[in-house]
Structures are given as C-alpha cells and as structure tokens.
Amino acid sequence: MLQIGEKPAAISIDEFRSRQRRLMSQLRPDDLLIICPNMESTRSNDVHYPYRSSSDMLYLSGWKDPESILTAHNDGKSWIVTLFVQPKDTLKEIWEGRREGVEGALKGWAIDFAHSIEDASTLLAQMIAKANRILHRSGINSLVDNMVNDAIERRDRGRQQFGNGPISIEDPSAKIAELRLRKSAAEISQMRHASQISSLAHEISMRHSAVGRREYQLQSVIEGFFSYAGTSGWAYPSIVGCGENATVLHYTVNDDICQDGEIILIDAGAEYNGYAADITRSWPINGKFTTPQKEIYQLVLNAQLAAIDECRVGRPYNAPHEAARKILAEGLIELGIITQTLDEALCMENGQLRMWYMHNTGHWIGLDVHDVGIYKPNGEARLLEEGMCLTVEPGLYFGAWRPDIDCPERYANIGIRIEDDVLVTSTGPDVLTKDCPKTILDLESLIGKDFE
Ligand code: GLY
Ligand code: MN
Ligand code: MN
C-alpha cells in the first residue's frame, strides 16, 4: 500500500523572522535590502509557465506569489520588513485565482508593512533615495531593476540636496546563500518529506517496470505520484533513459521503448514547499541484472556508500567525491577497463576514469536542487558542518554510441548512477532518501511487482 508520511508543519513566522534577523545583523543601518521574485514567463499565447518564486524570496518570507517585492530598511531603531503584493482585484481574481491582498499579507506573514505592488515604484523610489547602499540582485526582475537604475540615475540631485542617496549597489545573494547552506530543523522536515515522497515514487516506477514500457510511461507514474502525494511537482525535469539513453547525463527526451536486457536510469525528485529532492536509481527493466550489469552496479553502489560515509562534520566538501573516484578507479582497474595505475587513472588531465565517470559526486541541495553556497570560500575546500545537505551521486556510463572512446563490448550501453540526498549531522550522515531501494536484491524483488 502507498504510505505517504504526514505532512511536516509549515515553516513558522518566527523562523522567517529569525532568518531575516540573521541577515540584517550583517547589514548597515543605511542599507536598503530588496528581494525580488522571478517574473512570470509566457509559454505560448495566453499561457504562462507554472510560476515559481525566487528561492531567496521563499527563504526570507515564504511568499510564493508573483508581482511582489520584499524590502528591509532600518528606521533608526529597528529593521522594518515591507512586502509589496498584488492588490485585491475581483476581476483578476475571477480569472486567475484568489489573492491575499495587502490585508491578507499583513495577517499571516513575517512582515511589518504591506503595500500594493502598484505603489511600489513611488514608495521604493523614496526608500532608495534615503539609502546609501542598495542590496539588490539584478537580472531577476527587470521591473525592479528599472526602478533601482532610475533611482541611481537621480542620485546626484538627491545627494546634493539632502546629503544621501544610493552610492552603491551590491548583490546580497552571497550573504543569503551562506545562511541557506545550513538547514534548520524545519527545513530538514520539508526536505525529508520531499525525499520520502520521491523515494516512494521511484519504488512505484520500479514496480511498474516491464520490457516494452515507454520511458515516458515510467516518467508519468513518478510525476503523477509527486502530484498525488501533494507536492508541487518535479524539482527539475525528470531524466528517464533506457539502454544507451542511460549514458546521456541530462537526457530528458524520455520517449524510447525499454528493451529487454537494458538498464533504465531514472533521475527524478519532487519539490515540497519549495524544497527539492534529487534521487537517481538504475535497474534492469526486465527485473534481473546480467553479470556485467551487476559488476558495474555493485561497483557504483560501493563507491556511493563510501562517499556517503564521508559526509561527516569536519570533512572537506569534496571528500565524498575523492572517495567515490578512488573506489570506481580501483574497480575499473580490476575489471580490466582501466589500463593505468590508480594514480594515473585518477589524474584529472589524462586519467582514464574520466572516460567513464565525467561528473562530480554531488552538490548542495535545498530550495534549489543545485543549491547555493560557495564550495571553496577563499579558495579552500569548505569543511562540512551540521545541517548541510548534499547529494551523493557517483555513476559509470558506457555509451557504445560515443565516437571518442572504445567502449568495452561486455558493458556496452550500461549507464548506472545512484543518487541520494544526505544531511550532515553530529552523529554522522543521515540519508534523507534512505527509503528508496538500492541493493541488487531489493531491486530485483521489486521490479515488475505490484504493491501487495
Ligand atoms: N538531477 C540533477 C542532478 O542530479 O544534479
Ligand atoms: Mn544531483
Ligand atoms: Mn539527480
């Protein structure tokens, strides 16, 4: 039976306030912080792409609607957070859906003041004129970019008259990214929920696997379950590739027929309350690994388990990658696929490992599937801390179609990636996606089998 875990508690107003406070403690009193959501985007006449706000807007306020702006300024005593929102408008609401409006925004959100977005250009210009530094990321929202640029153009007059006005614009993203890198308990609950649903979705697609299925049919059961389980859908377009398509890292065509003897690779994850899951599993479409498939699968799994074990407080962020690379290289030497010594194989310039393993072993994950956070602050590998979340996703890809390599016949068109999402805790790695089956025995017992 499908067991969807209980929904986690929503992120509280207190938590948003605390995130805002931590950011503002790094600002100067004459700063103006401006956070914009993404603009809506047209897909075709009268049809928009599904809207998603910017992750920084979600992080600092949880506000999900388009046409909004969050600002923070200091009135000399304390920081004031203001949200500009779409105003109530019955005609628009009849067509597009209900709006919170200014009154709604003031009731349930971590803000001090709310205004209609229609007043933004006037009020924002007044705020900008009083600030000496504007913290704004350009390129996300051209309407707000224009307001900021206009104010900068007018600054000389303002400075001459009143002695203030913006003299610099800085991007606050790096400050916010540093906060977002360490996840709170409430964020981890959202991510665990996204991970549990995504794990179950993968299991459903394993059970639904059979020779002759189209890749998009497996995609549809996964993504259908994302919706069924109450997520907002995929966190990134699903990769569903059988046979040689499993050896194309970002394959998203997903329309081939799965043939007997092929491996299917599925990289798919749901987004819940803005937070991403990112899972890859690979299995034989007919339910039984061949010996060559087993050899490669077990090698990737060994590399993944060793890499997960490196996700510990105090270890460099790239320790999982180095652990995975070593095990993969040793294994490929043993299988006779790599003909170099271990040191030669691991060399980034001409090591043979890169022929079969050409990507990194992971990335931060959170509100963005490739989440923000500098990997090498000041050029030094960041050490992992409690609350950081990263993916661990080694793979091996034997694309027989590639003209640049001589693919060993025995492993032709085997593409294996195994990806989990891992939280670093004081007691070791906590695999958020641990419910997703990955041993050869577990996979073989599930593939093609209905739920009982
Ligand atoms: N799903 C994209 C990635 O694994 O990075
Ligand atoms: Mn990933
Ligand atoms: Mn992935």
Side-chain angles (χ1 to χ4, degrees), residues 303-304 306-307 319-329 353 357 361 394:
Q304 202 230 13
H321 184 50
E322 296 312 327
R325 274 169 40 80
K326 180 162 179 287
I327 291 200
L328 292 176
L353 181 62
Y357 182 43
T361 302

Side-chain angles (χ1 to χ4, degrees), residues 236-237 239 249-250 267-269 277-280 363 369-370 391 393 417 419:
Y236 55 90
I239 295 167
L249 302 182
H250 286 169
D267 184 344
D278 184 5
I279 302 182
T280 309
H363 48 82
V369 65
H370 288 184
T391 66
E393 49 178 306
R417 178 162 66 255
E419 175 173 28

Side-chain angles (χ1 to χ4, degrees), residues 56-86:
D56 284 350
M57 186 77 170
L58 296 176
Y59 182 76
L60 289 171
S61 70
W63 187 260
K64 294 189 168 75
D65 296 346
E67 295 189 303
S68 50
I69 307 172
L70 187 82
T71 64
H73 70 280
N74 195 303
D75 69 355
K77 289 195 252 39
S78 55
W79 284 93
I80 309 290
V81 177
T82 302
L83 186 64
F84 293 89
V85 301
Q86 293 172 315

